[in-house]
Amino acid sequence: MANVVKIGVIGGTGLYSLDGMEIVDEVFPDTPWGKPSDKITIGRFKGKDIAFLPRHGKGHSLNPSEVPARANIAALKKLGVEEIVAFSSVGSLRQEIAPRDFSLPSQIIDRTKARASTFFENGMVAHAPFADPFSISLSKKIEEAAKSIGLPIHTNKTLICMEGPLFSTRAESHMYRSWGADIINMTVLPEAKLAREAEILYQMVCMTTDYDCWKEDEEHVTLEMVLANLGKNADTAKQLLAAIIDFIGKSDDTSIIGSTKFSLVTSPEKRNPEQIEKLKYLFPTYF
């Protein structure tokens, strides 16, 4: 399609489009890191173009460790995406964050171990800043959107990302609580890291499906419990996203533009030409 798509939505199960959205195009590009999780639907809503990418593929065919995160972020970058709103189901590690509550995390603890988490490897190294892994401005816009529809939303939470696909042991769940984590999922990483490297503003919206297994007076986490809340959360997520669109896609935050360019550390004479060609897909003017 000819138009630049500034808004990207990475959806969890059941969040593939918006009611009333005009479907403009559907793309399934090849990137230097392979194909994305599924076809990307380009839609027009409230006069703005939006790229919808189903993280696990439609029908949820990819487990968290199989999600081709580099291809996903690269494909969105190539479309022109400047802001990503990513939705994810999470477990709660705190009494006050109840099932079906929504949260905006501000920090991440990484417990993944089997995922490619950078575009910069194989003879081209960069060390991008990641102290604040989410976009503060995008988080504030989402908070305002939630307020506009009367949706309570927890803010400034710490999200721990585990490998999966099995849920936590009870010992792990108690350990994560002792570390100060508030919610847990399996998908924020490497997605958030790659978005930062690609200079795309990124914020995850977390939708609670259950209390993690630390809460022993509650029924243990089961797939049935999670699925029962997924549909209800997806309906709320669509209402929230419809409101969020009013606040984003304005190109009004350039705070991370150029951050990766100034993170490159490999000497020009030592750079692997093959890797540079791959990186030109993301940064045609940097090399």
Side-chain angles (χ1 to χ4, degrees):
M1 60 176 296
N3 292 343
V4 171
V5 183
K6 296 182 179 181
I7 300 170
V9 177
I10 299 180
T13 301
L15 186 59
Y16 305 139
S17 64
L18 278 173
D19 295 338
M21 183 178 78
E22 175 194 355
I23 304 299
V24 176
D25 201 356
E26 194 173 62
V27 297
F28 194 35
D30 287 305
T31 81
W33 297 272
K35 283 189 171 291
S37 297
D38 207 324
K39 294 177 181 178
I40 300 172
T41 300
I42 312 297
R44 188 164 294 129
F45 186 76
K46 296 183 176 180
K48 298 177 181 178
D49 289 336
I50 309 165
F52 272 86
L53 173 60
R55 181 186 290 111
H56 298 279
K58 291 182 179 178
H60 206 115
S61 60
L62 299 169
N63 82 28
S65 303
E66 295 173 328
V67 172
R70 291 192 292 188
N72 287 349
I73 297 299
L76 292 175
K77 175 74 172 181
K78 195 68 171 179
L79 286 171
V81 168
E82 299 173 349
E83 296 170 291
I84 293 174
V85 181
F87 289 84
S88 173
S89 296
V90 301
S92 171
L93 297 167
R94 301 293 164 190
Q95 177 73 41
E96 65 271 19
I97 304 176
R100 286 189 260 162
D101 279 6
F102 278 51
S103 302
L104 293 176
S106 58
Q107 282 297 324
I108 302 171
I109 298 173
D110 189 354
R111 286 277 291 166
T112 64
K113 55 190 176 183
R115 307 175 185 188
S117 60
T118 181
F119 292 112
F120 292 91
E121 59 183 358
N122 191 29
M124 184 62 244
V125 179
H127 296 289
F130 200 58
D132 296 301
F134 299 104
S135 165
I136 295 172
S137 66
L138 188 51
S139 178
K140 288 179 179 177
K141 292 173 184 177
I142 296 171
E143 191 176 354
E144 284 297 309
K147 188 182 299 183
S148 74
I149 62 170
L151 176 67
I153 194 162
H154 302 277
T155 58
N156 199 32
K157 299 303 177 185
T158 296
L159 171 61
I160 192 159
C161 187
M162 62 180 289
E163 188 68 39
L166 278 70
F167 294 119
S168 306
T169 68
R170 191 173 294 112
E172 288 170 332
S173 194
H174 283 295
M175 179 178 69
Y176 299 151
R177 280 168 48 81
S178 75
W179 288 356
D182 301 298
I183 46 181
I184 182 167
N185 82 347
M186 303 177 188
T187 55
V188 70
L189 296 173
E191 200 171 88
K193 289 182 177 180
L194 296 166
R196 176 57 59 88
E197 285 187 343
E199 300 180 0
I200 302 174
L201 301 169
Y202 178 94
Q203 178 64 52
M204 179 163 275
V205 179
C206 295
M207 309 173 290
T208 310
T209 56
D210 57 87
Y211 284 112
D212 205 51
C213 60
W214 65 273
K215 202 169 189 300
E216 297 182 35
D217 60 336
E218 294 283 334
E219 183 183 354
H220 297 322
V221 179
T222 65
L223 181 59
E224 289 77 15
M225 181 192 306
V226 171
L227 291 177
N229 285 326
L230 273 174
K232 295 171 183 174
N233 283 344
D235 289 340
T236 306
K238 288 180 180 180
Q239 296 175 37
L240 175 59
L241 180 57
I244 290 171
I245 299 304
D246 289 326
F247 293 84
I248 64 176
K250 302 177 181 179
S251 302
D252 55 354
D253 182 351
T254 60
S255 60
I256 63 172
I257 300 301
S259 60
T260 295
K261 182 178 182 179
F262 296 106
S263 300
L264 307 176
V265 296
T266 304
S267 299
E269 69 274 11
K270 291 291 186 180
R271 295 174 180 179
N272 180 353
E274 292 181 1
Q275 188 65 20
I276 296 302
E277 283 305 309
K278 293 173 72 173
L279 290 167
K280 285 180 179 178
Y281 184 88
L282 296 169
F283 304 112
T285 64
Y286 283 11
F287 301 99

XYZ file of all heavy atoms in Angstrom, residues 192-230:
318
model
N 9.765 -5.992 23.205
C 10.043 -4.622 23.645
C 11.473 -4.210 23.317
O 11.733 -3.056 22.941
C 9.776 -4.488 25.134
N 12.417 -5.138 23.453
C 13.816 -4.830 23.145
C 13.991 -4.526 21.656
O 14.682 -3.572 21.272
C 14.718 -6.001 23.537
C 14.868 -6.193 25.034
C 15.815 -7.347 25.338
C 16.032 -7.483 26.848
N 16.958 -8.596 27.180
N 13.375 -5.322 20.825
C 13.501 -5.134 19.385
C 12.831 -3.844 18.922
O 13.340 -3.152 18.034
C 12.907 -6.342 18.657
C 13.653 -7.662 18.918
C 12.810 -8.842 18.462
C 15.010 -7.666 18.225
N 11.692 -3.514 19.523
C 11.031 -2.250 19.191
C 11.939 -1.074 19.525
O 12.037 -0.107 18.756
C 9.700 -2.137 19.923
N 12.619 -1.160 20.677
C 13.541 -0.073 21.046
C 14.691 0.025 20.049
O 15.059 1.123 19.610
C 14.074 -0.307 22.457
C 15.121 0.727 22.919
C 14.608 2.162 22.874
N 13.448 2.336 23.687
C 13.476 2.642 24.989
N 14.626 2.792 25.601
N 12.340 2.792 25.660
N 15.279 -1.111 19.670
C 16.354 -1.076 18.683
C 15.874 -0.497 17.357
O 16.621 0.212 16.678
C 16.905 -2.480 18.457
C 17.786 -3.003 19.575
C 18.458 -4.331 19.235
O 18.014 -5.007 18.278
O 19.425 -4.689 19.926
N 14.628 -0.795 17.005
C 14.062 -0.301 15.748
C 13.555 1.135 15.847
O 13.024 1.673 14.873
C 12.927 -1.217 15.285
N 13.712 1.741 17.028
C 13.289 3.125 17.276
C 11.789 3.310 17.089
O 11.317 4.297 16.514
C 14.083 4.102 16.387
C 15.583 4.052 16.630
C 16.380 5.006 15.748
O 15.762 5.721 14.924
O 17.620 5.036 15.870
N 11.028 2.345 17.605
C 9.565 2.413 17.593
C 9.085 2.553 19.032
O 9.471 1.764 19.902
C 8.937 1.154 16.962
C 9.442 0.937 15.535
C 7.415 1.254 16.977
C 8.975 -0.376 14.910
N 8.251 3.548 19.308
C 7.663 3.701 20.633
C 6.797 2.480 20.931
O 6.027 2.039 20.074
C 6.820 4.976 20.699
C 7.568 6.282 20.405
C 6.570 7.424 20.237
C 8.570 6.605 21.498
N 6.885 1.969 22.153
C 6.241 0.692 22.467
C 5.654 0.733 23.871
O 6.312 1.178 24.824
C 7.288 -0.426 22.372
C 6.791 -1.821 22.714
C 6.352 -2.684 21.720
C 6.784 -2.279 24.026
C 5.920 -3.980 22.020
C 6.355 -3.559 24.346
C 5.928 -4.406 23.343
O 5.510 -5.677 23.646
N 4.414 0.279 23.992
C 3.792 0.098 25.306
C 2.911 -1.138 25.271
O 2.111 -1.321 24.354
C 2.943 1.304 25.710
C 2.238 1.141 27.051
C 3.208 1.029 28.227
O 4.092 1.862 28.389
N 3.032 -0.007 29.033
N 3.083 -1.982 26.271
C 2.232 -3.162 26.393
C 1.053 -2.860 27.310
O 1.213 -2.210 28.354
C 3.036 -4.354 26.923
C 2.214 -5.631 27.105
S 3.250 -7.116 27.253
C 3.506 -7.499 25.506
N -0.123 -3.321 26.905
C -1.331 -3.267 27.731
C -1.576 -4.686 28.229
O -1.768 -5.609 27.429
C -2.544 -2.761 26.927
C -3.789 -2.750 27.804
C -2.263 -1.369 26.350
N -1.532 -4.861 29.527
C -1.615 -6.194 30.123
C -3.018 -6.467 30.658
O -3.575 -5.655 31.404
C -0.591 -6.334 31.238
S 1.106 -6.233 30.638
N -3.551 -7.622 30.291
C -4.922 -8.006 30.634
C -4.855 -9.254 31.521
O -4.416 -10.322 31.079
C -5.713 -8.298 29.352
C -5.610 -7.189 28.318
S -6.374 -7.630 26.721
C -5.212 -8.868 26.113
N -5.280 -9.114 32.759
C -5.127 -10.207 33.716
C -6.160 -11.305 33.464
O -7.352 -11.034 33.330
C -5.294 -9.696 35.157
O -4.463 -8.547 35.345
C -4.915 -10.765 36.170
N -5.672 -12.531 33.401
C -6.567 -13.679 33.237
C -6.716 -14.478 34.526
O -7.693 -15.206 34.694
C -6.055 -14.639 32.146
O -4.721 -15.039 32.464
C -6.073 -13.974 30.784
N -5.750 -14.352 35.454
C -5.749 -15.211 36.640
C -4.766 -14.669 37.673
O -3.915 -13.842 37.365
C -5.324 -16.639 36.262
C -3.963 -16.650 35.593
O -2.950 -16.722 36.322
O -3.884 -16.563 34.343
N -4.898 -15.160 38.903
C -3.832 -15.007 39.883
C -2.822 -16.124 39.632
O -3.206 -17.278 39.448
C -4.367 -15.125 41.305
C -5.111 -13.908 41.809
C -6.473 -13.952 42.055
C -4.442 -12.709 42.054
C -7.167 -12.853 42.528
C -5.119 -11.588 42.521
C -6.472 -11.668 42.751
O -7.153 -10.559 43.215
N -1.555 -15.766 39.606
C -0.541 -16.796 39.445
C -0.604 -17.734 40.657
O -1.279 -17.451 41.649
C 0.838 -16.146 39.318
C 1.829 -17.005 38.568
O 1.492 -17.456 37.464
O 2.940 -17.209 39.082
N 0.133 -18.837 40.608
C -0.073 -19.909 41.594
C 0.423 -19.592 42.996
O 0.278 -20.417 43.908
C 0.545 -21.206 41.092
S 2.330 -21.098 40.798
N 0.978 -18.379 43.224
C 1.346 -17.983 44.585
C 0.133 -17.934 45.502
O 0.241 -18.154 46.709
C 2.005 -16.587 44.571
C 1.067 -15.491 44.126
C 0.819 -15.093 42.856
C 0.213 -14.687 44.954
N -0.120 -14.087 42.822
C -0.512 -13.823 44.094
C -0.015 -14.610 46.335
C -1.426 -12.886 44.572
C -0.932 -13.677 46.813
C -1.633 -12.831 45.937
N -1.033 -17.645 44.937
C -2.236 -17.414 45.750
C -2.908 -18.758 46.034
O -3.758 -19.218 45.288
C -3.180 -16.460 45.016
C -4.173 -15.746 45.936
C -4.873 -14.631 45.182
C -5.703 -13.761 46.114
N -6.744 -14.497 46.826
N -2.522 -19.372 47.120
C -2.910 -20.750 47.382
C -4.353 -20.906 47.850
O -4.869 -22.015 47.879
C -1.942 -21.369 48.406
C -0.519 -21.434 47.870
C 0.448 -22.094 48.835
O 0.018 -23.036 49.533
O 1.614 -21.669 48.896
N -5.002 -19.798 48.205
C -6.418 -19.902 48.568
C -7.318 -19.801 47.344
O -8.541 -19.855 47.454
C -6.808 -18.812 49.579
C -6.581 -17.402 49.052
O -5.740 -17.237 48.141
O -7.231 -16.470 49.550
N -6.701 -19.658 46.164
C -7.448 -19.614 44.915
C -7.239 -20.925 44.158
O -6.276 -21.654 44.379
C -6.947 -18.456 44.030
C -7.219 -17.075 44.598
C -8.657 -16.630 44.434
O -9.326 -17.119 43.497
O -9.100 -15.800 45.248
N -8.143 -21.218 43.237
C -7.966 -22.371 42.360
C -6.677 -22.219 41.571
O -6.323 -21.138 41.116
C -9.162 -22.458 41.399
C -9.126 -23.656 40.473
C -10.294 -23.651 39.489
O -11.166 -22.767 39.620
O -10.326 -24.516 38.615
N -5.902 -23.293 41.414
C -4.654 -23.241 40.666
C -4.927 -22.827 39.215
O -5.997 -23.086 38.654
C -3.951 -24.598 40.691
C -3.540 -25.035 42.058
N -3.052 -24.167 43.004
C -3.560 -26.252 42.656
C -2.771 -24.820 44.118
N -3.087 -26.096 43.934
N -3.924 -22.206 38.618
C -4.047 -21.739 37.244
C -4.281 -22.932 36.313
O -3.540 -23.902 36.315
C -2.777 -20.993 36.797
C -2.924 -20.536 35.351
C -2.498 -19.812 37.707
N -5.335 -22.850 35.531
C -5.618 -23.873 34.528
C -5.884 -23.184 33.203
O -6.248 -22.005 33.155
C -6.850 -24.717 34.903
O -8.010 -23.861 34.905
C -6.685 -25.371 36.270
N -5.735 -23.917 32.125
C -6.011 -23.356 30.809
C -7.467 -22.943 30.704
O -7.790 -21.905 30.103
C -5.671 -24.379 29.723
C -5.889 -23.915 28.278
C -5.047 -22.676 27.970
C -5.561 -25.034 27.302
N -8.366 -23.723 31.300
C -9.798 -23.390 31.250
C -10.066 -22.037 31.896
O -10.855 -21.228 31.385
C -10.604 -24.482 31.957
C -10.669 -25.817 31.223
C -9.384 -26.634 31.364
O -8.555 -26.303 32.245
O -9.204 -27.585 30.585
N -9.393 -21.784 33.023
C -9.563 -20.507 33.714
C -9.072 -19.353 32.850
O -9.736 -18.307 32.740
C -8.782 -20.538 35.035
C -8.896 -19.266 35.868
S -7.689 -19.251 37.225
C -8.042 -20.805 38.043
N -7.924 -19.558 32.235
C -7.353 -18.517 31.393
C -8.259 -18.228 30.199
O -8.567 -17.077 29.882
C -5.943 -18.927 30.921
C -5.425 -17.959 29.875
C -4.978 -18.993 32.101
N -8.712 -19.282 29.534
C -9.550 -19.104 28.343
C -10.886 -18.448 28.681
O -11.433 -17.686 27.877
C -9.781 -20.457 27.664
C -8.554 -21.090 27.009
C -8.909 -22.459 26.433
C -7.978 -20.194 25.913
N -11.398 -18.723 29.859
C -12.679 -18.140 30.265
C -12.599 -16.624 30.344
O -13.580 -15.920 30.063
C -13.113 -18.707 31.613
N -11.430 -16.100 30.727
C -11.265 -14.649 30.839
C -10.732 -13.998 29.563
O -10.837 -12.779 29.395
C -10.326 -14.318 32.006
C -11.004 -14.503 33.350
O -12.195 -14.262 33.493
N -10.247 -14.957 34.342
N -10.161 -14.804 28.656
C -9.600 -14.243 27.429
C -10.644 -13.505 26.600
O -10.406 -12.388 26.129
C -8.967 -15.350 26.587
C -7.515 -15.719 26.888
C -7.102 -16.926 26.057
C -6.577 -14.554 26.625
